[in-house]
């Protein structure tokens, strides 16, 4: 009974001291406040125009017929494309493209209009700059729509020339086609990438902050300006105490990120906030466990920057947001399964964008709890056998150790 | 400090190299992490495009015609019909749970309505919360719908007495082929790796530059460094950073070879100019970081700024979302990142094989990045001689 009481008391002391330590540490506060509050805003603003519109293209029209002009006019009328002008020949058009004035060239060969008039297919080509896939995609969508519209119109007009009465049957749309985007109904880039990125930012904030706090434990108190030692007699109590501190501090920023950022930028918000919070809880816990393990590699406050910042790129690509998880090479699929953010992103996007309920993402939810368990077990051993001896190595550390021992014995 | 130490540029360089060699963190940051990320990005995107996107079909009609449509869809390269749903809501649930990325819906009485000319609509739903599989499905679904429509129209025309050979072009009077220059297969690896890999390199170069300069101040060893340089801060900084430059050059050349030789990404321009670009890019990144450090000579703050800008560069440098479509106030920052120029030169040289004339300005910008910090380095003299560490 007394042991339980001591355990809880130690845990509580660690919690309070860690709180004070964090509040007095500017470096950690940046990770816990500026990063989750400011970074999502900057990031969302970059992509906030959502759609790539009015990308300029140049036309090389060797035909100069009514139909070729109609084709160009209709493409120009599309949201995605904008006519920059006509070029006399392909080299001139290429010069415009090379100097980045336009990003596609539409070439209409001679005889285009005549062929269509004869009832044959009028072919043409559109050359696209491939440096950005979004521009290419825009042109593709636009030209497909134009082709279909013109085709339908011509069909309606010409079918009577083949069979006099056919028009009566074939008028109107024979078979209307509806394309309906789901989840991200505007097909906007911001609405696609940000819900996932928010979860990634949440994970990175926790790991960076805990990493820096772990680095501080290796520094001399005089350098850092305070005594970074905050241990309870039991390693587990220390870990739980600290985890609770971070959990408390991250609570509000986490809600800000999963609820208010989508609200500000009108991202899809099909989910239930309460369920989302329930879902995100094990992700935060698993991430804290992950960060405890990471502390073993941080022997100095600032080295978290050097060795952790770049991992954001890994987590982004591995999360399944950019490249679907089902198609990953097996090694990376396995690695991605070990990252809390992977399941966090998967589940959160499904809930937030596609309106899935908590029980529909039960697989992701279960995986997060398993990861929490797994990382915490590894974290316990890492903290007990690597971090603790490391930080208690030097002379001030040994003094600390004897103090701890005294506490333990008393 | 140590008595009777060596002085001069050479000694500083040797010291700088020894500092790198002694710290495992430097090994990780300069070789381990960049090489791991090169390997990671290229192997991850090795397949080029995600094929066989899981898809559902909702066939509410169940006639020979609707089955034909299903078969057409199933025959498409990009899709894999994993689920046969009985209703819209069932398919929607599968989509919400992430089992499928989209579905194709054939309504009730499809065949009957079609033959009676009542114009039944086929609709397809794509999950655009996942952009890449969503876009692939959109493309495939559109093709299937258009084929179906054409097939139906040919049948109708035939029943009215039109010769089938005449009817086919009638269904597609206009056909514009879209051709991607330099990346006709829409290889996602070419697209992502060529921008993200230099982005990773930029981030690591900038972090290491700032970190190694800041460490001198933090550990108060900058006093020793200044003594070795005979009080010249330019000599000290050059001697400190040049050995790193050489290591980064090796990494950058490896990167170039890795991307364009080993992975066979499109390379249709001049090797000479591309190589020059990579080498100048390394120094430009160091210049950018040095400038930042001169402005904020505080280890943690400058690292925070570098991390923020280095990670934001992946979005700001317009690798995915074009700079022309961003808000003007933000697209300015796009032009402030060295990696933006690396990307532009890559797009001009390697991807499109354009004449060097069109890239000339980007090389000039590299030179500006290299020269700019020279105007600020004097500020470091005081910081180096009287180091103060603020945590």
């Amino acid at each position: 009974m007394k042991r339980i009481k001591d355990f809880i008391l130690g845990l509580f002391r660690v919690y309070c001291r860690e709180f004070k330590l964090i509040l007095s540490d500017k470096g950690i506060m940046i990770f816990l406040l500026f990063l989750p509050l400011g970074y999502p805003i900057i990031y969302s603003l970059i992509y906030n125009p959502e759609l790539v519109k009015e990308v300029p293209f140049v036309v090389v029209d060797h035909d100069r017929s009514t139909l070729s002009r109609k084709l160009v006019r209709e493409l120009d009328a599309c949201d995605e494309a904008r006519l920059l002008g006509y070029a006399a020949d392909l080299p001139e058009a290429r010069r415009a493209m090379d100097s980045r004035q336009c990003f596609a060239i539409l070439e209409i060969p001679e005889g285009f209009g005549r062929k269509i008039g004869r009832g044959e297919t009028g072919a043409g080509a559109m050359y696209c700059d491939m440096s950005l896939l979004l521009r290419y995609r825009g042109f593709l969508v636009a030209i497909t729509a134009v082709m279909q519209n013109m085709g339908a119109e011509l069909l309606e007009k010409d079918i009577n020339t083949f069979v006099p009465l056919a028009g009566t049957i074939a008028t109107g749309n024979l078979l209307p086609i509806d394309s309906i985007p789901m989840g991200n109904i505007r097909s906007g880039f911001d609405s696609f990438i940000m819900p996932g990125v928010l979860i990634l930012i949440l994970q990175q904030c926790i790991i960076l902050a805990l990493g820096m706090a772990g680095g501080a434990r290796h520094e001399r108190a005089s350098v850092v300006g305070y005594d970074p030692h905050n241990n309870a007699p039991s390693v587990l109590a220390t870990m739980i105490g600290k985890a609770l501190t971070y959990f408390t501090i991250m609570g509000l920023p986490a809600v800000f990120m999963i609820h208010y950022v989508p609200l500000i930028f009108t991202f899809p918000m099909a989910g239930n906030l309460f369920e989302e919070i329930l879902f995100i809880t094990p992700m935060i816990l698993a991430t804290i466990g992950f960060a405890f393990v990471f502390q073993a590699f941080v022997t100095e406050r600032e080295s978290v920057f050097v060795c952790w910042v770049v991992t954001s790129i890994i987590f982004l690509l591995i999360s399944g947001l950019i490249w679907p998880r089902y198609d990953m090479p097996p090694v990376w699929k396995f690695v991605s399964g070990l990252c809390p953010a992977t399941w966090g992103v998967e589940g959160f996007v499904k809930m937030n964008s596609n309106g899935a309920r908590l029980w529909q993402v039960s697989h992701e939810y279960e995986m997060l709890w398993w990861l929490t368990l797994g990382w915490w077990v590894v974290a316990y051993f890492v903290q007990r056998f690597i971090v603790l001896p490391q930080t208690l190595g030097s002379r001030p550390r040994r003094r600390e150790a004897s103090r701890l021992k005294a506490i333990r014995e008393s | 400090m140590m008595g009777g130490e060596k002085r001069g540029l050479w000694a500083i360089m040797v010291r700088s190299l020894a500092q790198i060699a002694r710290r495992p963190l430097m090994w990780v940051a300069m070789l381990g992490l960049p090489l791991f990320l090169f390997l990671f990005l290229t192997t991850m995107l090795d397949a080029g495009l995600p094929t066989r996107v899981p898809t559902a079909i909702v066939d509410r009609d169940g006639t020979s015609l609707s089955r034909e449509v299903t078969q057409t869809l199933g025959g498409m390269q990009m899709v894999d019909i994993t689920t046969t749903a009985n209703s819209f809501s069932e398919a929607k649930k599968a989509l919400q749970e992430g089992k499928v990325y989209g579905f194709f819906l054939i309504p009730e009485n499809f065949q009957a309505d079609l033959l009676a000319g009542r114009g039944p609509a086929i609709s397809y739903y794509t999950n655009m919360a996942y952009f890449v599989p969503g876009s692939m499905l959109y493309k495939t679904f559109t093709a299937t719908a258009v084929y179906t429509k054409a097939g139906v129209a040919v049948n109708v025309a035939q029943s009215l007495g039109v010769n089938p050979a005449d009817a086919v072009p009638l269904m597609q009077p206009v056909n514009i082929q879209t051709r991607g220059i330099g990346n006709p297969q829409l290889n996602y690896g070419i697209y992502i790796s060529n921008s993200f890999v230099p982005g990773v390199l930029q981030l690591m170069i900038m972090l290491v530059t700032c970190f190694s300069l800041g460490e001198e101040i933090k550990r108060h060893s900058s006093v020793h460094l200044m003594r070795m340089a005979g009080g010249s801060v330019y000599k000290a900084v050059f001697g400190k950073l040049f050995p790193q430059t050489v290591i980064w050059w090796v990494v950058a050349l490896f990167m170039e070879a890795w991307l364009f030789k080993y992975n066979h990404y499109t390379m249709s321009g001049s090797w000479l100019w591309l190589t020059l670009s990579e080498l100048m890019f390394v120094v430009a990144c160091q210049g950018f970081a040095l400038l930042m450090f001169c402005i904020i000579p505080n280890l943690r703050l400058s690292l925070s700024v570098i991390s923020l800008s280095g990670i934001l560069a992946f979005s700001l440098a317009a690798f995915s979302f074009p700079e022309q479509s961003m808000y003007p106030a933000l697209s300015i920052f796009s032009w402030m990142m060295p990696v933006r120029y690396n990307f532009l030169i890559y797009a001009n040289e390697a991807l499109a094989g354009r004449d060097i004339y069109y890239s000339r300005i980007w090389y000039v910008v590299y030179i500006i990045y290299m020269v700019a910090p020279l105007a600020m380095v004097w500020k470091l003299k005081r910081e180096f001689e009287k180091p103060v560490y603020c945590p």
Side-chain angles (χ1 to χ4, degrees), chain B residues 29-47:
Chain B
M30 298 185 85
L31 298 171
L33 273 176
L35 297 185
F36 173 74
L37 268 131
F38 296 173
L39 187 78
F40 164 72
L41 280 160
T42 45
T43 51
M44 175 85 174
L45 304 167
D46 203 27

Side-chain angles (χ1 to χ4, degrees), chain B residues 110-130:
Chain B
F110 172 68
Q111 192 175 22
D113 284 352
L114 193 69
L115 294 179
R118 283 192 287 265
I122 39 177
S123 30
Y124 47 88
Y125 299 76
T126 41
N127 189 359
M128 292 309 286
Y130 292 88

Side-chain angles (χ1 to χ4, degrees), chain B residues 38 60 128 131 177 185 193-194 218 253 355 372 382 391:
Chain B
F38 296 173
R60 302 280 293 148
M128 292 309 286
F131 220 72
Q177 291 284 323
Q185 335 71 331
S193 299
N194 277 316
K218 180 177 177 180
L253 290 179
D355 195 87
R382 203 187 56 206

Side-chain angles (χ1 to χ4, degrees), chain A residues 75-324:
Chain A
L75 187 61
D76 187 25
C78 287
D79 219 9
E80 291 88 359
R82 175 170 64 86
L83 174 66
L84 185 72
Y86 278 79
D89 50 12
L90 217 47
E92 192 190 335
R94 263 203 77 165
R95 274 199 294 280
M97 189 132 132
D98 287 349
S99 45
R100 299 175 56 77
Q101 288 173 337
C102 71
F103 297 93
I105 301 169
L106 175 64
E107 193 186 20
I108 306 171
E110 207 185 327
F112 174 79
R114 240 179 306 140
K115 269 190 180 166
I116 296 176
R118 275 207 304 264
E120 291 170 27
T121 299
M126 186 134 184
Y127 305 99
C128 294
D129 177 90
M130 290 301 282
S131 57
L132 299 189
L133 284 191
L134 273 184
R135 284 201 196 108
Y136 169 82
R137 184 179 175 273
F139 282 125
L140 188 70
V141 169
I143 198 80
T144 311
V146 170
M147 267 157 53
Q148 279 186 39
N149 280 344
M150 277 185 77
E153 266 176 47
L154 289 165
L155 176 71
E156 216 175 294
K157 202 175 78 195
D158 292 348
I159 201 151
N160 276 330
T161 62
F162 284 87
V163 186
L165 276 178
T168 53
I169 297 172
T171 41
N173 205 340
L174 196 63
L175 177 60
I177 299 171
D178 294 334
S179 165
I180 298 145
M182 293 186 93
N184 163 15
I185 54 173
R186 283 177 296 179
S187 302
F189 197 74
D190 213 15
S191 300
F192 144 64
I193 203 151
M194 280 314 292
V197 167
L198 289 172
I199 301 297
L200 284 169
I201 294 176
L202 182 63
Q203 175 192 280
Q204 295 297 73
C205 286
I206 295 172
I207 296 178
L208 283 168
L210 264 159
M212 186 171 250
R217 295 167 75 181
H218 293 262
E219 310 259 356
R220 275 173 300 140
S222 62
V223 173
V224 183
Y226 66 86
D227 183 13
H229 288 278
N230 182 14
N231 293 328
S234 138
V235 176
L236 190 64
T238 311
M239 285 168 66
I240 296 178
K242 288 185 179 177
L244 280 178
T245 318
Y246 286 90
F247 198 82
T248 318
I249 297 181
M250 279 314 282
L252 280 178
V255 172
F256 172 76
M257 283 201 279
I258 63 173
H259 185 68
Y260 288 96
V261 174
L263 198 65
I264 295 170
F265 292 96
T266 60
F267 297 148
M269 288 179 81
N272 174 322
L273 180 63
F274 176 68
E275 286 175 13
E276 283 172 2
I277 292 174
L278 272 185
F279 179 80
I280 226 69
T281 305
M283 201 210 91
I284 296 180
L285 292 179
T287 308
I288 292 175
F290 190 89
F292 277 136
V293 177
F294 170 61
Q295 280 187 342
F297 302 96
V298 189
T299 52
E300 195 178 353
R301 284 164 63 82
E302 286 81 7
S303 54
V304 286
F305 289 102
V306 181
C307 54
W308 199 255
V309 170
V310 75
T311 59
S312 303
I313 301 304
I314 303 178
F315 288 119
L316 174 66
L317 275 159
I318 222 166
S319 70
L321 198 62
I322 295 199
W323 190 266

